[in-house]
Amino acid sequence: MSPSHQLPKNYDIEEVERRWQNAWRDEDNYFDPGSPKPRFIIDTPPPYPTGNFHIGNALNWCYIDFIARYKRMRGFNVMFPQGWDCHGLPTEVKVEETYGITKNDVPREKFREMCRDLTLGNIEKMRATMRRLGFSTDWSHEYITMLPEYYKKTQASFLQMLKAGDIYQSEHPVNFCTRCETAIAFAEVNYVPRTTTLNYFDFDGVEIATTRPELLAACVAVAVHPDDERYRGMKGKRLAVPIFGHQVPVIEDVAVDPNFGSGAVMICTFGDKMDVYWWKQHNLELRKAIDRQGVMTAVAGPYAGMPSEACRKAILRDMEEGGILKRQEELEQRVGTCWRCKTPIEILSERQWFVRVHQDDILDAARRVSWTPEHMFTRLENWAESMEWDWCISRQRIFATPIPVWFCDSCGELILPDGEDLPVDPTVDTPKAPCPRCGGSNFTGEKDVLDTWMDSSISALHVTGWDGDGRPPLFPAQLRPQGHDIIRTWAFYTILRAKALVGSHPWDQILVNGMVLGDDGFKMSKSRSNIISPEDVVGKYGADALRQWGAGGATIGSDIMFNWNDVVAASRFQTKLWNIFRFVMGHLDTVTGEPGPVTELTDRWLLVRLSDTVAEATAAMEGYQFDRALRAIREFAWNTLADDYIEITKGRLYAEDSSRASACSALRTTMDVLCRLLAPIIPHFAEECYHNLTGRSVHKEGWPDFAYADDEARRHGDLLVKMVAELRRYKHDRGMALNAPLGHVMIYAPEPVDDAGDAGRALNADARWSTGTPRLEEVANGVNFNMAIIGPRLRKQARGFMEAVQALPPDQLRNPPTTITVDGEEIPVPADSFTPKVAYQVAGEEVDVLTLGDVVVTIGHSS
Ligand SMILES: [Zn+2]
Ligand SMILES: [Zn+2]
């Protein structure tokens, strides 16, 4: 314990935070598998290693760290793992940019190695930011999805679901980005508004409107509504497709909107999801007119080899020249685009791998999870219910978990590796035995790789100890924290996979956080130049201020706008707290040993308020309401402790009085509890104070279990605080200095109050409490005139009127006469034109009187 004279006047954020970050040991945050304590396993999000731990990550991790630290203090054996979700397109693109190559310029393994090296470097950068933010991560539970020890589990999970029939391959329409040249899942399609042209043209005598004339080559039918009189009798007829000439049937379907265009639509394979629906419903032919690169196929005849955009222009020109195009209109529509590159997606029919989506099972498992905030469950429910296709999990990329299967070259048999041989790369490794069906020994490995969500959706299994088979020993996890932007992906897929692989829900609770918006209220983006990085904030105000901003910025689940003012306010609060702490330590130094009994009113009142604060903060932390917890702690420290308590008891702390020990005990307890309340949110600051106070680490202490009930102290203390504030205002209103002597103050209260002389010292007055009633005598002492009445009513006579009133005897001031003589003229006295001024006396001494409810205070100035 260092005496307060060694405490620096200013709190040096940078120095203190660095010092504690160097002193803390990683081992103290490790999950202990042998511990008898209750488990609290957090299935933390594995971020994509971009190299930049952004402010949205920071908010998410602040929440996780508040919870991890709080739960440890509550006696839980906490696991706060850190994963890295490495695979995927952004890294491939970055490598291609960095080295000026495309993925096909180098061997697959070489390209993967370049991606791995880039990723490891990025992870290292992000780790450094996380340490600077003071997160109590369990680094012994770090996982990196691109490393064999992790992705062999992804492969094991694939094989288990394949054997169970939950994964299958099929030629099926999928969303496809022709720029990225890969299939993507529905969850990765963003719908954006755009203006396009609706083209009306003559389709063998029927008018048809389309936004995508380039798909004419892929036309397989024309559909009309069965009740549409205009097309009665057309069903079953065959029409010749303009320009291309192939014949297609006319079909009827109630899903056709008779009010759109001419009421007749062409069905192409595939323009949109509706085409897929009709194609399935009516068993139509498949015509692939666009390939994986977005280029027209042979089906497009003279247009083959053209990019689809060029084909669209060419067909429109040919339609116009052929007199087929009738008119064009502008149309607002929502078009699906690639989440990564914003290219409009195509729907292509491809052989792909799919995971079966059992909506009911997923929703059933999701209902067993407790959702905070509750309404986030609805988002998952809506998404699950809107899913029409299974989850497409194959990707035509390189940096990803390989799909661990081969095909027999002779008979096509699907060959699977043994579990103990995982991980495998089927493009490099070969099966250990000949084909079980035909005995052939030539195989082709699957080149497609897995969707990254296949890696990250087993995170809950991984952290609970899954070895690729059966129920993990620590399953389910207790908590999943994540953003609302990935409910339909990460949350949805994790529940799906836990249900499929273990038969149960993955976690007891899910906590969904909001997004961080720029200070202009918009999503942070380079183009708006409203990006704030955690390093900017930490560099100026420190990690604890950023963490306070995270705690106080919003209710959990709401989006939070970044605001420098909040960070400044957070840092100011720390300065205030440091000043309080230094002041308190200056007094505690002279008291040694254990805190003694707390006997005096104000001290007992402080403990009552402290007890309220602990109850409020505890309830808030239990409900993950960090803003509410921080508000309670700030109010207590700033208002109750600093403004009220210390201002009132300061005098007693300097006095050589036996009541001084009571104040020191109360302050020691208060600082101890306050440091522990602050420990999860501002761990560096709390540690610095607590270490000075006790010589121990606050992060090894329990959450304060402090309750103090004293109704009398609450009542009398509240009254004392109110009285002192009121009398301070009284001094201020009279232009008196706050420490100026106030004379005799008598406080007449309904109950006897013993404030140990605090009110008197705080006010520099001879203050006494009494249960009696003051013997007040009223003395007339002048007149208050109401000029708003006198001015307009009496005009020139006003001055004379006022002189005459002042000359009246005291009893007539109280009961005004009806008339009065002004300049020899008898005039009526206007109603409410004056009231008498009254002064009070007690035993002949003039006093001021303040009334506060049923309490009366008299202030006598004569000494
Ligand atoms: Zn794309
Ligand atoms: Zn075979």
Side-chain angles (χ1 to χ4, degrees):
M1 187 157 83
S2 62
S4 75
H5 60 261
Q6 288 182 359
L7 290 180
K9 189 161 186 305
N10 295 314
Y11 180 78
D12 182 344
I13 296 167
E14 173 77 15
E15 187 277 323
V16 173
E17 294 190 351
R18 288 282 181 197
R19 178 156 44 78
W20 286 117
Q21 283 168 14
N22 289 330
W24 290 331
R25 299 178 326 140
D26 281 355
E27 297 77 44
D28 291 336
N29 300 324
Y30 288 177
F31 175 78
D32 175 5
S35 167
K37 292 176 180 178
R39 285 196 299 264
F40 196 85
I41 298 179
I42 309 174
D43 178 22
T44 52
Y48 196 75
T50 56
N52 162 33
F53 191 81
H54 61 71
I55 195 120
N57 294 138
L59 176 71
N60 199 174
W61 263 254
C62 280
Y63 289 162
I64 300 168
D65 196 49
F66 301 156
I67 296 166
R69 290 181 181 277
Y70 171 73
K71 290 289 179 185
R72 276 188 211 110
M73 292 179 87
R74 291 303 300 254
F76 285 87
N77 181 21
V78 172
M79 190 199 289
F80 178 1
Q82 180 58 54
W84 302 99
D85 184 17
C86 309
H87 288 136
L89 203 52
T91 298
E92 290 193 6
V93 172
K94 190 80 196 166
V95 163
E96 288 175 333
E97 278 170 19
T98 307
Y99 297 97
I101 54 166
T102 72
K103 60 178 173 149
N104 301 322
D105 294 346
V106 290
R108 281 169 82 94
E109 193 38 48
K110 176 72 192 160
F111 189 74
R112 274 195 195 139
E113 194 186 306
M114 292 161 116
C115 291
R116 272 197 298 270
D117 288 348
L118 176 76
T119 303
L120 288 174
N122 285 344
I123 288 176
E124 200 43 51
K125 286 183 208 158
M126 293 171 80
R127 279 191 197 121
T129 309
M130 297 171 83
R131 285 188 180 274
R132 184 61 192 89
L133 291 172
F135 300 138
S136 59
T137 309
D138 175 354
W139 291 106
S140 73
H141 280 86
E142 186 181 31
Y143 63 90
I144 300 179
T145 61
M146 67 179 180
L147 297 184
E149 54 267 33
Y150 188 95
Y151 80 76
K152 73 177 189 189
K153 295 188 183 182
T154 306
Q155 291 191 327
S157 72
F158 172 92
L159 293 171
Q160 188 181 326
M161 288 177 69
L162 179 67
K163 288 171 189 161
D166 283 324
I167 287 181
Y168 61 93
Q169 50 174 341
S170 154
E171 161 118 15
H172 189 275
V174 289
N175 294 303
F176 204 93
C177 174
T178 54
R179 199 216 66 90
C180 300
E181 288 182 43
T182 185
I184 58 176
F186 260 114
E188 294 169 332
V189 178
N190 290 330
Y191 287 89
V192 295
R194 75 163 178 192
T195 306
T196 186
T197 310
L198 185 60
N199 307 285
Y200 289 83
F201 65 102
D202 178 53
F203 193 116
D204 201 4
V206 176
E207 185 182 83
I208 300 247
T210 181
T211 58
R212 302 209 48 196
E214 70 275 23
L215 284 174
L216 208 52
C219 179
V220 292
V222 168
V224 296
H225 193 278
D227 299 336
D228 195 331
E229 289 299 331
R230 291 170 291 182
Y231 304 107
R232 182 143 320 276
M234 290 282 283
K235 187 184 171 185
K237 285 225 167 87
R238 295 184 77 80
L239 302 176
V241 177
I243 297 179
F244 296 93
H246 61 281
Q247 302 269 317
V248 296
V250 177
I251 60 167
E252 287 182 347
D253 196 294
V254 288
V256 177
D257 177 5
N259 299 315
F260 180 79
S262 63
V265 294
M266 65 175 193
I267 299 172
C268 304
T269 52
F270 297 93
D272 58 19
K273 263 165 85 176
M274 233 18 243
D275 284 341
V276 177
Y277 170 81
W278 281 321
W279 172 74
K280 274 197 212 164
Q281 283 289 308
H282 298 274
N283 245 330
L284 299 167
E285 183 194 354
L286 179 70
R287 291 174 70 88
K288 298 186 196 181
I290 297 178
D291 73 6
R292 289 168 165 228
Q293 280 89 35
V295 173
M296 304 311 293
T297 66
V299 165
Y303 307 95
M306 282 186 184
S308 61
E309 193 56 40
C311 173
R312 176 204 307 251
K313 289 191 183 113
I315 287 193
L316 279 175
R317 192 186 56 232
D318 293 348
M319 278 182 165
E320 211 166 353
E321 280 172 8
I324 308 170
L325 188 66
K326 294 177 159 179
R327 63 182 191 282
Q328 294 178 306
E329 280 173 7
E330 275 203 347
L331 180 74
E332 295 297 323
Q333 66 170 188
R334 293 177 70 74
V335 63
T337 61
C338 170
W339 67 281
R340 166 68 197 162
C341 72
K342 300 187 169 60
T343 303
I345 51 126
E346 293 290 350
I347 299 176
L348 303 184
S349 185
E350 290 276 335
R351 184 190 64 87
Q352 300 285 355
W353 292 87
F354 295 88
V355 162
R356 253 179 246 291
V357 175
H358 305 286
Q359 273 114 327
D360 292 347
D361 284 356
I362 295 168
L363 285 175
D364 184 52
R367 281 192 195 97
R368 288 166 204 273
V369 176
S370 150
W371 290 71
T372 305
E374 232 173 293
H375 67 262
M376 293 293 178
F377 171 71
T378 315
R379 296 208 191 178
L380 182 98
E381 197 176 27
N382 291 343
W383 173 247
E385 284 169 354
S386 73
M387 287 198 77
E388 289 165 32
W389 301 350
D390 284 338
W391 171 20
C392 174
I393 53 166
S394 41
R395 297 290 181 273
Q396 293 69 47
R397 302 296 305 185
I398 293 176
F399 185 47
T401 298
I403 293 180
V405 303
W406 297 269
F407 302 96
C408 171
D409 287 347
S410 319
C411 73
E413 178 76 352
L414 181 68
I415 314 285
L416 309 181
D418 285 339
E420 63 263 27
D421 295 333
L422 299 179
V424 298
D425 180 352
T427 65
V428 177
D429 306 319
T430 49
K432 295 215 164 139
C435 170
R437 189 158 120 199
C438 74
S441 54
N442 291 320
F443 306 95
T444 301
E446 173 63 273
K447 273 208 175 64
D448 281 5
V449 292
L450 288 171
D451 179 3
T452 306
W453 294 111
M454 281 292 279
D455 295 327
S456 60
S457 57
I458 57 164
S459 64
L461 276 77
H462 176 78
V463 299
T464 53
W466 196 58
D467 63 0
D469 189 28
R471 190 182 173 90
L474 306 175
F475 192 84
Q478 276 59 57
L479 180 71
R480 152 65 67 87
Q482 67 160 71
H484 64 59
D485 56 329
I486 48 174
I487 289 176
R488 62 190 204 177
T489 47
W490 196 39
F492 181 83
Y493 294 144
T494 306
I495 296 170
L496 182 159
R497 304 262 275 147
K499 188 78 184 164
L501 293 161
V502 185
S504 179
H505 57 290
W507 351 269
D508 300 330
Q509 302 176 49
I510 182 169
L511 178 66
V512 182
N513 64 270
M515 303 292 110
V516 180
L517 307 175
D519 52 9
D520 54 1
F522 287 99
K523 201 176 159 180
M524 287 190 188
S525 71
K526 273 193 194 130
S527 59
R528 287 193 182 275
S529 36
N530 60 353
I531 296 181
I532 302 283
S533 81
E535 282 85 357
D536 293 343
V537 182
V538 172
K540 288 192 182 110
Y541 296 100
D544 283 349
L546 176 67
R547 297 170 62 106
Q548 272 195 69
W549 161 80
T555 317
I556 201 129
S558 312
D559 288 346
I560 163 170
M561 210 192 282
F562 182 81
N563 187 342
W564 280 108
N565 290 339
D566 294 344
V567 180
V568 173
S571 137
R572 205 172 284 151
F573 175 55
Q574 278 163 222
T575 304
K576 177 81 176 179
L577 276 173
W578 183 248
N579 291 339
I580 297 170
F581 183 69
R582 281 181 65 244
F583 173 83
V584 170
M585 288 303 286
H587 289 283
L588 294 192
D589 276 348
T590 56
V591 178
T592 49
E594 280 300 295
V598 173
T599 50
E600 305 307 332
L601 168 63
T602 325
D603 308 331
R604 289 187 288 132
W605 173 81
L606 178 68
L607 297 186
V608 167
R609 286 308 183 90
L610 180 65
S611 169
D612 291 349
T613 307
V614 170
E616 172 73 0
T618 307
M621 293 300 283
E622 284 294 319
Y624 306 127
Q625 297 165 299
F626 312 117
D627 54 333
R628 180 180 154 201
L630 181 60
R631 197 159 50 236
I633 298 168
R634 271 189 191 167
E635 271 170 20
F636 173 79
W638 202 298
N639 302 336
T640 306
L641 177 60
D643 288 356
D644 296 335
Y645 177 81
I646 291 181
E647 285 306 319
I648 290 175
T649 52
K650 215 190 273 178
R652 180 144 55 87
L653 284 167
Y654 287 110
E656 292 298 322
D657 190 311
S658 62
S659 62
R660 182 175 182 280
S662 166
C664 288
S665 290
L667 280 171
R668 175 176 289 277
T669 303
T670 301
M671 293 321 294
D672 184 299
V673 169
L674 195 54
C675 286
R676 285 188 275 153
L677 291 176
L678 288 165
I681 297 176
I682 47 174
H684 310 85
F685 184 91
E687 186 79 322
E688 180 73 358
C689 293
Y690 199 76
H691 189 262
N692 276 295
L693 185 70
T694 67
R696 300 192 303 269
S697 168
V698 72
H699 302 299
K700 292 185 179 166
E701 301 289 336
W703 181 254
D705 176 22
F706 180 79
Y708 188 91
D710 186 335
D711 281 348
E712 188 194 76
R714 181 190 294 280
R715 260 191 340 268
H716 293 180
D718 282 352
L719 177 59
L720 170 65
V721 167
K722 209 159 94 181
M723 240 36 314
V724 169
E726 208 52 48
L727 286 161
R728 287 218 160 115
R729 192 171 308 134
Y730 168 89
K731 277 184 162 180
H732 177 262
D733 291 349
R734 276 157 191 74
M736 297 168 73
L738 275 185
N739 57 358
L742 193 56
H744 307 294
V745 174
M746 285 296 297
I747 307 164
Y748 297 90
E751 290 182 70
V753 173
D754 175 5
D755 72 356
D758 282 349
R761 276 185 296 264
L763 296 164
N764 193 9
D766 171 20
R768 289 178 212 173
W769 295 80
S770 166
T771 48
T773 41
R775 297 228 183 102
L776 294 174
E777 297 158 39
E778 272 185 26
V779 188
N781 185 19
V783 185
N784 290 316
F785 289 104
N786 186 349
M787 294 314 289
I789 292 178
I790 296 169
R793 293 277 287 279
L794 301 175
R795 294 171 184 266
K796 282 182 184 161
Q797 286 173 310
R799 174 178 291 270
F801 171 77
M802 283 152 65
E803 281 166 10
V805 170
Q806 267 159 348
L808 289 172
D811 64 320
Q812 289 205 18
L813 284 175
R814 257 184 224 113
N815 302 299
T818 50
T819 60
I820 195 165
T821 309
V822 176
D823 301 333
E825 188 190 337
E826 189 84 355
I827 61 164
V829 174
D832 302 324
S833 56
F834 65 88
T835 49
K837 255 188 212 164
V838 180
Y840 292 96
Q841 288 185 350
V842 175
E845 182 199 15
E846 187 163 310
V847 294
D848 284 340
V849 178
L850 300 177
T851 320
L852 283 125
D854 50 5
V855 178
V856 177
V857 183
T858 63
I859 305 147
H861 296 284
S862 60
S863 49

